[in-house]
Amino acid sequence: MSKKNKNLGTPNVPNDHPRAESLHYRHKLVDLMFEKVVTPSGLCAHGRGEAFDYLLGEKTIPPSEKAMEAAIASLLLAKHPVFSINGNVAALVPESIVELAEVLDADIEINIFYQAPGRIEAITSILKKAGAKKILGLGDVEPTSLPNISSNRRIVDPRGIFSADVVLVPLEDGDRTEALKSIGKYVITIDLNPVSRTALYSDITIVDNIIRCLPLMVEYARELKGTPPEELLKMVETFDNEKNLVDSMELMRTRLGYLSKDIGARRQKIQPGANE
Ligand code: ATP
């Protein structure tokens, strides 16, 4: 995350720590694991994301902004846009998810892999506190199954991603993304790993940290709302996900090159005399 010293108010994380913001979110996820919102496996997934974020320089890159614009355009053109929310998403960006759904008139559906008594309720409570009025996936109607997937990731709300035309599935597993594509959904994801199966299967992949990109997506949504449909369609049609993924990886490669050249200077700064 950004290196600015914000007053994050996280116990045991001094605000002047160079990685204060990243540590703040780690603590948040750990706390919410004890409240059942996040699972241990969700913590590992976050760690995988953080590793890729390091390669991005922990900032939003131009290809991701391009993907965000196309994503918002396609969500504005959708007849029935639905966001699929898991524990990590609810823990990291509850307010922005609710705000984005409101601006885009999208439905929110909770979809979790690890079921545990009280978990859905804990995630629901976070989303409601963030202002969500309508939440799908609560088991109040008979669930249905996505085809072409055997795990319990197939179980969904018939009113949610199952009947959507455009779905936003951030931090998603490849199996469900593949199943959604197999039944013709237009899939948008947010995934820091540009080579995950989800990143590759999706129609639009935003390679960015969800913590940074969701507030930006809200801005794009407010800005593009009211844009003529032909213009929105042009934004979607001219977007090339494959090229965008390659561009993102290219930027990671460039940064790795820069870091490898800079390693001596950085060691010297941290540990004077290290190179003597
Ligand atoms: P796949 O099944 O698609 O190949 P995977 O096995 O990594 O990928 P999961 O672990 O279920 O799938 O998905 C988590 C994905 O979310 C990972 O690719 C990880 O890089 C990404 N991720 C984790 N935290 C964040 C975050 N804060 N912002 C954006 N992406 C994230």
Side-chain angles (χ1 to χ4, degrees):
M1 297 305 306
S2 114
K3 284 146 193 81
K4 279 182 234 131
N5 296 332
K6 288 189 187 164
N7 186 1
L8 297 162
T10 313
N12 305 323
V13 180
N15 286 329
D16 60 355
H17 189 290
R19 311 200 54 73
E21 199 167 351
S22 166
L23 294 178
H24 160 76
Y25 282 103
R26 280 190 188 178
H27 279 256
K28 190 169 189 170
L29 288 173
V30 170
D31 289 347
L32 287 172
M33 187 187 75
F34 291 112
E35 292 179 28
K36 295 187 177 172
V37 173
V38 173
T39 61
S41 162
L43 296 185
C44 297
H46 185 75
R48 182 176 293 172
E50 279 189 329
F52 282 98
D53 207 13
Y54 231 98
L55 300 183
L56 285 181
E58 296 172 301
K59 61 176 197 280
T60 300
I61 53 174
S64 311
E65 294 248 11
K66 213 186 245 183
M68 278 180 225
E69 186 187 66
I72 295 299
S74 67
L75 286 160
L76 284 167
L77 286 169
K79 287 193 182 69
H80 182 200
V82 178
F83 299 173
S84 176
I85 307 300
N86 62 22
N88 282 33
V89 175
L92 294 171
V93 284
E95 286 88 8
S96 301
I97 275 288
V98 171
E99 195 179 351
L100 188 64
E102 218 170 86
V103 179
L104 295 171
D105 205 11
D107 280 330
I108 288 177
E109 173 176 354
I110 298 176
N111 276 306
I112 53 172
F113 180 67
Y114 295 101
Q115 310 276 346
R119 183 153 189 241
I120 286 270
E121 290 77 1
I123 296 173
T124 303
S125 160
I126 280 210
L127 293 173
K128 282 200 169 153
K129 261 190 220 144
K133 290 178 191 79
K134 179 181 168 196
I135 301 173
L136 305 176
L138 303 184
D140 49 333
V141 296
E142 188 65 29
T144 190
S145 286
L146 292 173
N148 310 320
I149 177 170
S150 55
S151 76
N152 68 7
R153 288 190 209 277
R154 72 184 187 283
I155 301 163
V156 291
D157 188 313
R159 302 161 300 174
I161 57 175
F162 189 77
S163 57
D165 51 350
V166 180
V167 292
L168 172 66
V169 284
L171 284 51
E172 183 54 273
D173 158 87
D175 288 354
R176 190 188 276 134
T177 313
E178 190 176 17
L180 287 168
K181 280 309 302 166
S182 79
I183 53 169
K185 306 295 178 190
Y186 194 84
V187 178
I188 301 162
T189 195
I190 299 164
D191 194 328
L192 277 161
N193 177 1
V195 287
S196 75
R197 290 177 307 151
T198 293
L200 302 178
Y201 292 141
S202 295
D203 295 283
I204 299 180
T205 304
I206 302 165
V207 181
D208 198 10
N209 196 321
I210 195 167
I211 299 161
R212 282 191 303 270
C213 95
L214 247 286
L216 284 174
M217 287 176 79
V218 173
E219 279 179 33
Y220 272 109
R222 291 199 190 283
E223 219 173 274
L224 292 180
K225 209 172 170 174
T227 304
E230 320 80 69
E231 275 182 46
L232 294 174
L233 197 59
K234 204 167 155 200
M235 288 174 197
V236 178
E237 284 177 350
T238 53
F239 180 77
D240 180 342
N241 207 34
E242 193 172 319
K243 178 178 181 311
N244 217 56
L245 287 170
V246 170
D247 288 349
S248 305
M249 281 185 255
E250 205 46 52
L251 284 170
M252 288 184 180
R253 204 161 70 110
T254 306
R255 183 166 154 80
L256 264 179
Y258 157 76
L259 286 174
S260 67
K261 283 204 187 78
D262 191 44
I263 208 156
R266 294 189 76 197
R267 269 169 54 83
Q268 188 67 26
K269 198 169 153 201
I270 296 168
Q271 197 186 332
N275 298 338
E276 285 158 16

